[in-house]
Amino acid sequence: MGELHHLKVGCADCSVIRTSSHTFLVDASNISDWSHLLPSNKRLRGVFITHQHYDHFDGLKYLKDKGYRIDFLVHSPYERRYGDNSVQYDEWQEFNALRDHFVNNGTDARAPHRQTDFSKPWWDAGEVKFWILGPSQAIASSETRQLHDAALVVHAALNKLRCLFTGDASDANLEDVASNVNNICGGILHASHHGSIEGASLPFIQACKATHTVISTESGVHENVPHPTALRRYKENTSHAVYRTDVDGALTWTF
């Protein structure tokens, strides 16, 4: 028995997966507000940071300050270039400093591109299995790349429950996934970019065949987020329900 929590953290992202023996995070913004979901032994089996923006990784500082240990830290393979406005230098440096802190304390850090063999998961963690569907190396390292082009796209199999985490993946990233991967979602879609029109690629959303869509968002923070066209696309292509954390609060599934 386990739990999947999509948390209410504003216009940001943080999800918690808890099994009988391990805890995983997918993004970590404002995890301090949900510390009761963290393990009492302060050991996290895995933390996925889909990309190096504050609203996805800032909770790492809380974990550092409170003395948590992370077995595996899995993050975007993005390589920042000089003058890259898709991620500010200070933001980039802060993530790297936090990553290095955990590595120096025994964390195994990985920055994967899309796996080449889908016959088995990228990581079989027992009760949870993870596949890395994106980004492809070609998209993540293109000359015109921006950080969202290299956001991790992670499929988690939680017994019979399926969830696809997209971070703030760009349309290019997601359309590349849709063109090169089968069985993308088939369960819960954790929508990209807080319901922005960026990351709401219609071909990708249609290919997901989502039963439920979760949008981690807060209206009024950014203009047109969530975007009405994006919301319509999710509603028209989700078989059961579309949820917004600013309206519906935190959401929990058991598996």
Side-chain angles (χ1 to χ4, degrees), residues 220-240:
V221 176
H222 302 290
E223 186 177 0
N224 287 322
V225 175
H227 195 282
T229 299
L231 291 175
R232 186 179 70 251
R233 289 176 181 176
Y234 291 122
K235 290 175 180 177
E236 290 176 349
N237 294 281
T238 301
S239 62
H240 285 72

Side-chain angles (χ1 to χ4, degrees), residues 140-200:
S141 60
S142 69
E143 288 297 320
T144 58
R145 69 186 182 275
Q146 295 190 355
L147 179 56
H148 292 170
D149 294 325
L152 293 179
V153 180
V154 181
H155 179 110
L158 319 167
N159 293 333
K160 294 182 179 180
L161 184 67
R162 299 289 185 268
C163 185
L164 184 70
F165 298 95
T166 58
D168 284 0
S170 67
D171 287 342
N173 187 347
L174 296 175
E175 288 170 6
D176 183 68
V177 170
S179 297
N180 291 282
V181 182
N182 296 321
N183 304 316
I184 297 169
C185 178
I188 302 163
L189 169 61
H190 192 103
S192 177
H193 209 207
H194 320 295
S196 164
I197 194 62
E198 265 189 54

Side-chain angles (χ1 to χ4, degrees), residues 90-227:
D90 290 347
E91 193 171 31
W92 182 257
Q93 289 294 91
E94 183 168 339
F95 172 80
N96 288 337
L98 288 165
R99 178 201 59 199
D100 292 348
H101 161 80
F102 287 105
V103 168
N104 291 336
N105 284 274
T107 296
D108 186 343
R110 307 286 180 93
H113 293 93
R114 180 168 65 227
Q115 62 191 85
T116 55
D117 179 7
F118 289 99
S119 64
K120 58 184 178 180
W122 182 80
W123 182 14
D124 185 341
E127 294 173 86
V128 185
K129 297 173 176 57
F130 298 99
W131 280 261
I132 304 296
L133 306 191
S136 70
Q137 188 163 4
I139 296 293
S141 60
S142 69
E143 288 297 320
T144 58
R145 69 186 182 275
Q146 295 190 355
L147 179 56
H148 292 170
D149 294 325
L152 293 179
V153 180
V154 181
H155 179 110
L158 319 167
N159 293 333
K160 294 182 179 180
L161 184 67
R162 299 289 185 268
C163 185
L164 184 70
F165 298 95
T166 58
D168 284 0
S170 67
D171 287 342
N173 187 347
L174 296 175
E175 288 170 6
D176 183 68
V177 170
S179 297
N180 291 282
V181 182
N182 296 321
N183 304 316
I184 297 169
C185 178
I188 302 163
L189 169 61
H190 192 103
S192 177
H193 209 207
H194 320 295
S196 164
I197 194 62
E198 265 189 54
S201 159
L202 182 57
F204 172 79
I205 294 171
Q206 291 173 330
C208 281
K209 297 181 172 61
T211 59
H212 301 79
T213 295
V214 175
I215 304 170
S216 183
T217 194
E218 184 175 347
S219 62
V221 176
H222 302 290
E223 186 177 0
N224 287 322
V225 175
H227 195 282

